[in-house]
């Protein structure tokens, strides 16, 4: 029986694997959910031939995430082959295959997110807040995650966790793929009015906030991330970098 047939790159490399099923609440996206594993996921790259290029780029954001959190060699592969992947060349299958394998390894280790699975949220804490303040309308999920990953990498550098070139490589690859790395990169969002306060309120609603501290995934190096509890002063270090 066919359980899942993902038709976007993002669904093929991320949402179809791992069994997280969630519904939206008026207070935010994916706030109520359950774990339910499909028996089979069938990925047919033919479907991507009709996908808008913007959706393809947004899906690649999650592919880049796997390199950052778990596989430096894969990250280098993406630096050298992102054009081929965007052109739906031979690199595409390798990129999808590697992404699914890396995600499956993490989920097999920690299905219910009591530990390591949280690394899959790299870039998503800021990303979800960005989606919320832009009313889930203006940015694709992968675009918000790209801004969130660049912000998390910048923050990691500012907190002294990684070298500057780590942050520069991450931001560089996202820019080359054609993804936004700041809200102001997305011209149609620039005119929107939201304050740093709105952004904080969105962060507070995210399920990762506990007692004024937020669980945050930071990068130590390409392929290596760490979970840290940050307080408001620490995670607001880069607020201007995200909003402007
Ligand atoms: N549960 C999870 O683990 C998880 C993980 C990542 C993302 N998500 C969620 O998935 C959602 C993002 O979904 P998305 O970007 O994959 O898809 P989407 O459903 O938003 O689709 C994007 C657009 O592409 C169109 N489309 C889809 N497949 C097509 C095809 N083959 N050819 C032409 N057009 C096509 C759709 O109609 C839509 O207009 C977000 O809401 C995100 O939060 C969930």
């Amino acid at each position: 029986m066919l359980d899942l047939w993902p038709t976007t790159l993002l669904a093929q490399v991320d949402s179809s694997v791992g069994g997280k099923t969630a519904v939206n609440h008026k207070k935010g996206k994916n706030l109520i959910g359950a774990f339910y594993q499909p028996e089979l996921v069938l990925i047919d790259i033919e479907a991507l031939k009709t996908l808008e290029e913007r959706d393809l780029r947004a899906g690649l954001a999650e592919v880049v995430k796997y390199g950052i959190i778990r596989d430096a060699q894969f990250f280098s592969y993406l630096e050298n082959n992102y054009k081929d992947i965007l052109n739906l060349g031979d690199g595409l299958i390798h990129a999808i295959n590697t992404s699914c394998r890396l995600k499956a390894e993490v989920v097999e280790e920690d299905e219910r997110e009591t530990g390591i699975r949280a690394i899959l949220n790299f870039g998503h804490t800021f990303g979800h807040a960005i989606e919320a303040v832009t009313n889930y309308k203006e940015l694709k999920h992968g675009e918000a995650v790209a801004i969130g990953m660049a912000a998390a990498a910048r923050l990691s550098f500012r907190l002294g966790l990684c070298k500057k070139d780590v942050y520069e490589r991450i931001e560089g690859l996202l820019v080359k793929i054609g993804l936004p790395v700041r809200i102001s990169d997305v011209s149609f969002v620039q005119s929107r009015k939201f304050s740093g306060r709105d952004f904080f309120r969105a962060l507070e609603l995210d399920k990762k906030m506990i007692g004024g501290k937020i669980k945050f995934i930071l990068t130590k190096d390409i392929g290596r991330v760490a979970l840290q509890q940050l307080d408001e002063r620490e995670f607001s270090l880069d607020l201007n970098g995200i909003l402007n």
Side-chain angles (χ1 to χ4, degrees), residues 7-8 10-11 14-15 20 29-30 47 50-51 55 103 141:
T7 63
T8 65
L10 189 129
D14 192 4
S15 16
K20 266 197 188 183
K29 217 172 106 170
N30 292 343
T50 54
L51 192 66
D55 282 302
K103 178 157 184 185
H141 176 70

Side-chain angles (χ1 to χ4, degrees), residues 133-151:
V133 294
T134 54
N135 294 325
Y136 303 99
K137 287 199 183 93
E138 290 159 276
L139 288 163
K140 302 265 172 195
H141 176 70
E143 292 170 342
V145 168
I147 298 172
M149 289 196 295

Side-chain angles (χ1 to χ4, degrees), residues 25 29 46 65 70 91 101 136 143 151 194 197 223 236:
H25 183 272
K29 217 172 106 170
E46 278 294 300
K65 179 189 80 179
R70 196 109 167 147
R101 178 178 54 77
Y136 303 99
E143 292 170 342
F194 51 78
R197 186 79 222 114
S236 59

Side-chain angles (χ1 to χ4, degrees), residues 16 21-22 34 36 43 45 52 101 113 137 145 163 175 183 204 243:
S16 68
T21 59
Y36 184 78
I43 295 174
I45 56 165
E52 295 277 347
R101 178 178 54 77
E113 202 168 315
K137 287 199 183 93
V145 168
K163 295 199 183 117
V175 169
I183 289 185
E204 276 161 14
L243 297 177

Side-chain angles (χ1 to χ4, degrees), residues 29 54-55 58 126-148 179-190 192 194 199 242:
K29 217 172 106 170
R54 187 175 165 200
D55 282 302
F126 283 144
H128 285 150
I130 291 162
E131 284 186 284
V133 294
T134 54
N135 294 325
Y136 303 99
K137 287 199 183 93
E138 290 159 276
L139 288 163
K140 302 265 172 195
H141 176 70
E143 292 170 342
V145 168
I147 298 172
L179 284 160
V181 290
R182 289 177 167 77
I183 289 185
S184 56
D185 287 345
V186 194
S187 56
F188 48 86
V189 178
Q190 272 182 33
R192 274 195 52 82
F194 51 78
F199 192 78
I242 301 167

